[in-house]
Amino acid sequence: MDPYRIFIHYLKTWFIVDATVLPFDWTFAIMDMAAEESSGDGEVVKLLRAFRLVRTARLIRLLKLKWILEAIDDIFESEMAGIWVKIVKMVLLLLAINHIIACVWYLLAIGHEDIQRTWLSQEDLDRADWDYKYACAFHWSITQFTPASMEIAPQNMSERTFTIAVVVFALVGFSYVV
């Protein structure tokens, strides 16, 4: 592989996306650090949370994933290997979907924490580490796709509406897989 050709290809394709997203990413990261060091002004933190939505533009890079997965499918010629690749792809897709659902579940909780009771406040997770909060949100998300249960439940109308939507989506998605 020629590094020069790779570099030129990158400049023609993904460089524009990276160049438009990276300045925002660094700006918000620096602003986050500055907000944590300041006196803790709640309005600044809320504004930063809203601006983080701009960072989701990085998801455009996922378009490249389709080409990569098709190339992996083409590599395997045996039927058994193809089946295993499809199973792994389905599991990874399920994990990615559950990650997104967990992030939205957490976003609903932090967006309403000043106004109403949320699943975070109900379970006394307000001061827990972020990794434990994420693990709880991801666990909740996984349980929506299975008959498993969990002690975390929706505590306000936004969370309940989102839960209903996720359960219906999970029912349809699980029915498709089976």
Side-chain angles (χ1 to χ4, degrees):
M1 300 208 90
D2 182 18
Y4 179 75
R5 289 183 64 209
I6 293 171
F7 177 71
I8 295 300
H9 179 69
Y10 172 71
L11 286 177
K12 290 179 181 177
T13 56
W14 292 103
F15 176 74
I16 295 168
V17 174
D18 290 341
T20 56
V21 172
L22 190 65
F24 292 110
D25 226 6
W26 280 97
T27 303
F28 295 137
I30 292 168
M31 290 173 69
D32 276 345
M33 288 188 291
E36 288 175 5
E37 292 175 4
S38 70
S39 63
D41 187 13
E43 294 300 318
V44 172
V45 174
K46 286 181 186 176
L47 181 65
L48 289 175
R49 286 180 185 159
F51 281 136
R52 283 187 191 151
L53 293 177
V54 175
R55 292 170 61 182
T56 58
R58 290 184 293 179
L59 294 177
I60 295 172
R61 291 186 62 90
L62 288 178
L63 296 173
K64 191 176 189 178
L65 185 63
K66 180 181 177 190
W67 299 324
I68 293 170
L69 292 176
E70 288 174 357
I72 290 172
D73 277 345
D74 293 341
I75 291 172
F76 295 103
E77 293 183 11
S78 82
E79 187 175 343
M80 182 61 93
I83 291 171
W84 277 107
V85 167
K86 286 184 173 132
I87 289 172
V88 168
K89 282 182 2 184
M90 287 174 58
V91 168
L92 290 175
L93 178 64
L94 180 68
L95 291 175
I97 289 170
N98 278 286
H99 166 75
I100 293 168
I101 291 170
C103 290
V104 172
W105 179 245
Y106 179 71
L107 182 67
L108 282 172
I110 63 172
H112 291 93
E113 64 190 353
D114 296 337
I115 305 168
Q116 312 170 8
R117 188 173 69 189
T118 66
W119 66 270
L120 283 174
S121 61
Q122 178 67 23
E123 298 299 324
D124 294 325
L125 295 173
D126 295 335
R127 292 180 182 85
D129 291 334
W130 71 268
D131 55 344
Y132 187 72
K133 290 178 186 178
Y134 174 77
C136 289
F138 192 76
H139 182 195
W140 175 87
S141 176
I142 291 284
T143 60
Q144 304 310 303
F145 282 74
T146 63
S149 63
M150 185 179 188
E151 65 276 1
I152 292 177
Q155 299 298 317
N156 58 49
M157 190 60 172
S158 298
E159 292 177 356
R160 190 156 309 277
T161 304
F162 180 69
T163 301
I164 291 168
V166 168
V167 168
V168 170
F169 173 76
L171 175 70
V172 172
F174 189 72
S175 299
Y176 174 74
V177 172
V178 172

